């Protein structure tokens, strides 16, 4: 789902419910796994949220107005004076924090139980296999620069080793 889609869904949900008025102040709240607020930012329906360089970035009028480290954000909640928690995006699915890496592959989200991790080169050869991976960062300094695939359980990501 693109960030534009999240912005549009938010706008449609608020307008469709008749809950958003011009005078209402709309906020994006990034919170951690314990419910603590990492950042709260006033936005409008033209604002956008981007996930870039390991951060959650909030833009208003094309200008960056707040940023929070992606690894510290567990939930993103949209709220206004009249409606709270219109849509919550939960960081439960496993994701690769960055697909351009120097030394470490870093993941965020839920790790499947009894996860195995396999790094495969373009030629199909397995370069690294971890049978009982617990979600820790994976050292890839020994890989030559290029495109690789990392598979965790049944999910595959691609990454570029710089």
């Amino acid at each position: 789902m693109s960030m534009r889609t999240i912005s549009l869904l938010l706008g449609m949900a608020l307008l469709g419910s008749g809950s958003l008025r011009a005078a209402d102040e709309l906020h994006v709240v990034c919170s951690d796994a314990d419910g603590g607020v990492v950042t709260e930012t006033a936005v409008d329906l033209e604002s956008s949220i981007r996930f870039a360089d390991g951060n959650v970035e909030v833009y208003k009028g094309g200008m960056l107005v707040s940023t929070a480290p992606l690894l510290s954000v567990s939930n993103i909640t949209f709220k206004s004076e009249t409606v709270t928690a219109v849509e919550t995006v939960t960081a439960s699915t496993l994701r690769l924090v960055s697909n351009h890496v120097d030394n470490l592959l870093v993941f965020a989200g839920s790790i499947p139980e009894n996860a195995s991790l396999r790094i495969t080169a373009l030629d199909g050869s397995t370069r690294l296999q971890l049978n009982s991976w617990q979600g820790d960062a994976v050292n890839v300094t020994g890989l030559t620069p290029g495109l690789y695939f990392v598979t965790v359980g049944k999910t595959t990501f691609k990454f570029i080793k710089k």
Side-chain angles (χ1 to χ4, degrees):
M1 180 179 307
S2 72
M3 292 310 100
R4 188 72 176 154
T5 304
I6 289 176
S7 296
L8 291 173
L9 284 174
L10 171 63
M12 290 187 312
L14 289 171
L15 292 172
S17 68
S19 300
L20 185 64
R21 299 179 309 243
D24 285 345
E25 187 162 313
L26 188 61
H27 288 256
V28 172
V29 181
C30 295
S31 55
D32 60 23
D34 298 324
V37 174
V38 176
T39 183
E40 182 171 339
T41 308
V43 294
D44 58 30
L45 294 178
E46 297 299 316
S47 298
S48 63
I49 300 171
R50 298 181 189 157
F51 300 89
D53 300 323
N55 292 310
V56 177
E57 300 174 342
V58 178
Y59 290 82
K60 187 174 179 181
M63 301 284 293
L64 179 65
V65 292
S66 80
T67 184
L70 185 60
L71 290 176
S72 65
V73 174
S74 180
N75 294 301
I76 299 175
T77 304
F78 303 94
K79 73 176 189 174
S80 75
E81 292 175 9
T82 55
V83 178
T84 303
V86 172
E87 180 169 338
T88 299
V89 179
T90 304
S92 61
T93 12
L94 182 66
R95 64 196 178 287
L96 191 57
V97 171
S98 176
N99 63 352
H100 290 82
V101 299
D102 288 314
N103 301 319
L104 295 175
L105 278 179
V106 179
F107 294 84
S110 298
I111 312 305
E113 198 171 310
N114 299 322
S116 65
L117 179 140
R118 183 178 70 248
I119 296 177
T120 309
L122 278 176
D123 65 5
S125 63
T126 298
R127 300 297 171 98
L128 178 67
Q129 176 79 37
L130 301 173
N131 292 324
S132 295
W133 180 64
Q134 300 296 317
D136 299 333
V138 178
N139 186 339
V140 294
T141 54
L143 297 177
T144 57
L147 180 65
Y148 293 88
F149 299 96
V150 57
T151 303
V152 178
K154 296 180 182 181
T155 305
T156 301
F157 306 93
K158 66 180 177 181
F159 72 94
I160 297 172
K161 165 69 167 84
K162 296 181 191 178

